[in-house]
Amino acid sequence: MIYFDNSATTMVDERVLETYNKVCKNYPGNSNSLHKLGIKSKELEDYATECIAKYLGVKKNEILYTSGATESNNTVLKGVAFRYKTRGNHIITSYLEHSSVIETCKYLEKNGFIIDYVNINEDGTVDLEHLKSLITDKTILVSIALVDSELGIRQDIGGISRIVRNYPKCFLHVDITQGLGKTDISFDNIDFASASMHKIFGMKGIGLLIKKENIEIDNLIHGGKSTTSYRSGTPALPLIVSSMKAIELVIPNIKKNYEYVEKLNKRIISALEKYDNVHINSTDKSIPYIINFSIKGIKPETFIHALDEEDIYISTKSACSSSDISNAVYSLYHDLDIAKHSLRISLSYKNTIEEVEEFIKVFDKVYNKLMFKN
Ligand code: PMP
C-alpha cells in the first residue's frame, strides 16, 4: 500500500495508540471527580496539558480540548459572532478555508452577519492590500488558515496579523490543522487557533482550540464546568494524553521532516511536470507536504479509482468538500477546467523514496491507459 492521503488523515502512530490504551486501562476516573481516582486522572490531565502548552508555546489555560478542528472552527466563529454582535457584524475569511469555516460563515450570513472573502494573489497568499480595504471598525473576526488543505499554501500570518492589530476590536483566528507539526507556528499575534490530532498521527476524535486567555466567547456546547467553562463534557483523558504523545513526536522534528518531505515532493513534481495535460496547482508558497495538480481530460474520480486498484491512495480536493469544483483551485486560477480536475497528493515524513518511485511508475501506466483509452 502507498498512502498519499495524509492531509485527509494519518495512520495513528503505534506509540500514540499504546499511550491511549495505557491511559484507558490505568486511569479510569473522571478527572472532575473529587475522589482518589478522579484526582489521579486530573493530575495526568494537567501534566499532559502543560506539556502540550510548552510544545506549542502557549499558556496551559489557553488550551481547550474539542472533538476536532471542525468543532474548534465552529466554536470560534459562532462564539465570537454571537458574543460580539453588538460591536459589529462583519467577518473576513477566504475561499481557501476548510468547509467547517466556509459553511459556518454561510450559516452566520443567514443570521445577519456580513461575510467577505479576501482575494488571493497569484501565488495563493492572501492579498494583504485587499484585506486592508475590507477590514473596518465593524469587523469582529478574520479567519485564515495557516496552511489550507487543498493547495497547501502557507499564509503570511505575521502580515495578516499586523493589519488586524490596527483594529483592536477584531480577533484573528488561524486554522492550523494542516500546518501543525509540519511548519513552525508562532501564536504571539493570533487570538484563536484550531487543530485536529488525527492529522499528526494522533487519535481521531480530539482537537485543540487555542484561545488566548481573557478572551470571552459564547459557548457552542453548554453543560458543566469540566476542564474549562468554554467546553463542557467529561475530559477525554486517553485522547488528551495520546495527543501529548502525538505532539511530542512531531514538534521537535519539524525541520528535519520538512527537509525530507521536500525531497519527496521535488521528485514527484519533476515527474508530473513532464505530462502535457498535467497542471501543477500548488505554488512556491505551498508546503511540500501537499501537491495539488489537475489532469485535464481525466475525471479525478476515475483516476483515484484506477490508483485504488493499485493500492495507492490519493485524494480529490479535500476529503470534506462536497461540490465538484474546487473553490480553492478556482480562486487561484479562475479556470473551471483546472478547478474541476484537481487531485491532491499529501505526504508525510513516514513516506519513503521507494514509495515515490513506485507511485511515479504506476502514475505513468494509469495516465496512459486512461488518457489514450480510445
Ligand atoms: N481545517 C482544515 C484546514 C482541515 O484540513 C480539516 C480536516 N480536513 C479541518 C479543519 C477539520 O478537521 P476535522 O475533520 O478533524 O474536524
Side-chain angles (χ1 to χ4, degrees):
M1 177 175 69
I2 299 179
Y3 187 72
F4 282 173
D5 199 14
N6 291 283
S7 288
T9 195
T10 54
M11 295 182 186
V12 67
D13 189 292
E14 276 301 323
R15 293 160 288 185
V16 170
L17 194 56
E18 205 181 299
T19 305
Y20 178 87
N21 285 333
K22 270 193 195 153
V23 177
C24 281
K25 275 193 204 142
N26 302 331
Y27 291 82
N30 182 332
S31 30
N32 293 330
S33 297
L34 294 181
H35 50 62
K36 254 193 328 209
L37 288 181
I39 292 168
K40 188 178 159 198
S41 290
K42 180 72 183 155
E43 280 170 0
L44 182 63
E45 184 193 315
D46 283 344
Y47 171 74
T49 308
E50 255 163 44
C51 287
I52 293 173
K54 245 187 226 152
Y55 273 117
L56 299 183
V58 297
K59 293 182 183 155
K60 180 169 169 261
N61 64 356
E62 295 178 329
I63 293 183
L64 278 67
Y65 298 108
T66 64
S67 60
T70 297
E71 185 190 321
S72 303
N73 286 342
N74 270 264
T75 305
V76 174
L77 285 149
K78 292 174 188 166
V80 167
F82 293 127
R83 182 64 158 223
Y84 297 100
K85 60 179 184 271
T86 50
R87 264 189 197 177
N89 65 345
H90 184 223
I91 293 171
I92 301 174
T93 187
S94 88
Y95 284 118
L96 294 184
E97 303 313 305
H98 186 256
S99 51
S100 54
V101 169
I102 302 258
E103 293 302 318
T104 307
C105 283
K106 286 186 189 161
Y107 167 79
L108 291 172
E109 207 164 22
K110 282 190 203 137
N111 284 275
F113 291 88
I114 295 166
I115 314 294
D116 270 317
Y117 294 86
V118 66
N119 291 342
I120 300 300
N121 294 318
E122 272 181 13
D123 63 2
T125 54
V126 163
D127 178 344
L128 297 181
E129 290 308 312
H130 189 225
L131 178 61
K132 273 186 210 161
S133 73
L134 289 175
I135 195 164
T136 73
D137 290 336
K138 294 276 175 223
T139 312
I140 50 173
L141 183 68
V142 173
S143 177
I144 300 290
L146 171 66
V147 173
D148 69 281
S149 57
E150 286 193 54
L151 289 150
I153 310 278
R154 191 189 199 287
Q155 297 295 338
D156 170 14
I157 298 300
I160 293 170
S161 77
R162 280 190 285 280
I163 296 170
V164 175
R165 286 292 171 253
N166 289 327
Y167 295 80
K169 289 180 180 168
C170 179
F171 296 112
L172 176 60
H173 167 234
V174 180
D175 181 347
I176 60 167
T177 310
Q178 295 291 352
L180 181 66
K182 298 184 181 119
T183 177
D184 288 329
I185 306 172
S186 160
F187 293 91
D188 286 353
N189 278 309
I190 65 182
D191 301 302
F192 303 98
S194 310
S196 262
M197 291 301 110
H198 68 96
K199 309 280 187 186
I200 56 163
F201 307 95
M203 303 293 290
K204 292 170 179 61
I206 178 151
L208 300 181
L209 168 55
I210 315 290
K211 181 185 76 59
K212 285 296 173 69
E213 62 179 349
N214 305 327
I215 300 180
E216 293 189 358
I217 54 173
D218 273 13
N219 279 26
L220 185 67
I221 291 175
H222 294 88
K225 182 169 174 315
S226 197
T227 318
T228 146
S229 58
Y230 290 100
R231 210 295 193 167
S232 298
T234 300
L237 190 62
L239 291 175
I240 292 171
V241 184
S242 69
S243 298
M244 172 192 78
K245 191 74 193 168
I247 287 175
E248 180 186 295
L249 291 174
V250 290
I251 298 278
N253 300 315
I254 287 180
K255 190 167 177 287
K256 184 177 87 187
N257 292 343
Y258 193 97
E259 285 168 2
Y260 171 70
V261 170
E262 207 161 35
K263 287 189 191 130
L264 305 183
N265 169 296
K266 284 199 173 131
R267 176 71 186 108
I268 294 174
I269 292 199
S270 73
L272 295 186
E273 270 173 347
K274 296 191 180 129
Y275 296 88
D276 287 345
N277 289 329
V278 170
H279 185 271
I280 307 288
N281 302 325
S282 298
T283 76
D284 61 354
K285 291 289 194 282
S286 299
I287 60 166
Y289 288 85
I290 295 183
I291 302 170
N292 191 305
F293 63 102
S294 299
I295 310 177
K296 293 188 193 174
I298 301 177
K299 277 194 180 163
E301 313 82 84
T302 310
F303 204 82
I304 297 266
H305 293 316
L307 287 181
D308 267 10
E309 299 287 306
E310 306 279 345
D311 215 14
I312 294 180
Y313 302 93
I314 69 165
S315 145
T316 53
K317 307 190 290 174
S318 141
C320 313
S321 169
S322 55
S323 83
D324 274 358
I325 294 168
S326 163
N327 283 332
V329 176
Y330 189 77
S331 72
L332 192 52
Y333 294 103
H334 309 285
D335 180 322
L336 268 183
D337 205 19
I338 289 177
K340 266 188 190 164
H341 289 96
S342 75
L343 289 158
R344 180 187 67 184
I345 292 169
S346 46
L347 302 167
S348 90
Y349 74 91
K350 297 194 184 192
N351 289 127
T352 64
I353 191 69
E354 288 76 24
E355 288 175 331
V356 165
E357 295 304 337
E358 178 63 15
F359 168 78
I360 291 170
K361 245 195 266 163
V362 174
F363 181 93
D364 189 67
K365 185 175 92 181
V366 170
Y367 178 92
N368 285 315
K369 186 169 150 205
L370 296 176
M371 189 61 79
F372 307 112
K373 62 179 177 227
N374 298 319

